[in-house]
Amino acid sequence: MTANRTFFALLAAVALIQTALLGKIVWDRHTLLKTGREIVMQVVPVDPRDILRGEYVTLGYGISPMRRASLQGGATLDGASRGDAVFVTIRPGAESAWTPVAVATSYPKDVATGEAVLKGRVQYLWDEASNEASNADANLAVRFGIESYFVPEGSGKPIEEAVRDKKIQAIVVVGSDGTAALKGLVIGGQRHEAPAIF
């Protein structure tokens, strides 16, 4: 009898911990969407022939990939490799086009007014095949977690066409730690936000 009680107590504790962790993830996302700094970014087609997969749209941004030579002072990514967290400082330009200006493995100490810092994961770093980190033309690709936008069933075709025609922008919120979340889209000048979590 005592063994059964212990087993059920442990089972209940595990279920409670899992529920609490899931609740924290949802709460953190909700908090980011409500309190994060909002920026609007121009979206570029990832693959105009296959941009819609199932019930989400794949989005690309002009901030990745980036050329090492285009960054101020190069990039301080010593020891970084695929999958590592990096912080990309971006600066606004014309028509919601943001430009990467710096990349580092830790959050930058000084961020100019108007700039934003996005936390992402290295997809590929410079020219990994030849390990030429000094090559100024080498590329760095970073994923920020804002590359997929879920759409209501059957509404993907107009979004796909808008991305192809470059008539779409992404509404992105950025937390104080660089975490980014996709809040919605601006399609043909009209704002479409995802439903609130709460």
Side-chain angles (χ1 to χ4, degrees):
M1 199 68 156
T2 305
N4 282 344
R5 284 186 181 172
T6 304
F7 172 75
F8 285 117
L10 288 174
L11 190 62
V14 168
L16 186 62
I17 291 170
Q18 288 177 336
T19 303
L21 289 174
L22 185 58
K24 181 174 180 352
I25 291 169
V26 171
W27 180 255
D28 287 349
R29 171 82 175 187
H30 171 74
T31 302
L32 175 61
L33 289 172
K34 290 291 185 191
T35 63
R37 174 186 173 192
E38 186 176 290
I39 62 176
V40 178
M41 301 176 70
Q42 187 64 43
V43 175
V44 296
V46 173
D47 181 354
R49 291 157 299 157
D50 187 27
I51 199 159
L52 182 64
R53 298 179 183 179
E55 296 304 318
Y56 68 91
V57 177
T58 302
L59 306 174
Y61 301 89
I63 58 173
S64 182
M66 61 197 89
R67 289 181 61 239
R68 186 178 191 200
S70 68
L71 303 171
Q72 295 175 350
T76 54
L77 294 174
D78 296 336
S81 60
R82 185 179 299 194
D84 287 352
V86 292
F87 296 86
V88 180
T89 303
I90 58 175
R91 179 177 296 152
E95 299 179 9
S96 302
W98 289 72
T99 306
V101 293
V103 181
T105 54
S106 60
Y107 197 93
K109 293 178 182 170
D110 297 316
V111 179
T113 304
E115 292 181 343
V117 178
L118 300 180
K119 181 180 180 181
R121 297 254 170 218
V122 174
Q123 205 171 6
Y124 66 83
L125 181 64
W126 315 138
D127 184 1
E128 292 180 318
S130 61
N131 290 322
E132 293 181 25
S134 61
N135 182 355
D137 291 325
N139 289 330
L140 166 69
V142 178
R143 287 189 59 84
F144 300 98
I146 53 174
E147 291 80 13
S148 296
Y149 184 72
F150 290 88
V151 297
E153 188 171 346
S155 66
K157 189 71 174 163
I159 296 174
E160 177 183 320
E161 290 170 2
V163 172
R164 269 194 216 136
D165 296 339
K166 298 184 178 178
K167 294 180 180 175
I168 192 167
Q169 298 166 313
I171 305 165
V172 177
V173 290
V174 184
S176 58
D177 64 347
T179 302
L182 191 54
K183 185 174 185 178
L185 299 175
V186 178
I187 304 170
Q190 288 191 336
R191 191 176 172 109
H192 301 272
E193 289 188 22
I197 296 172
F198 294 103

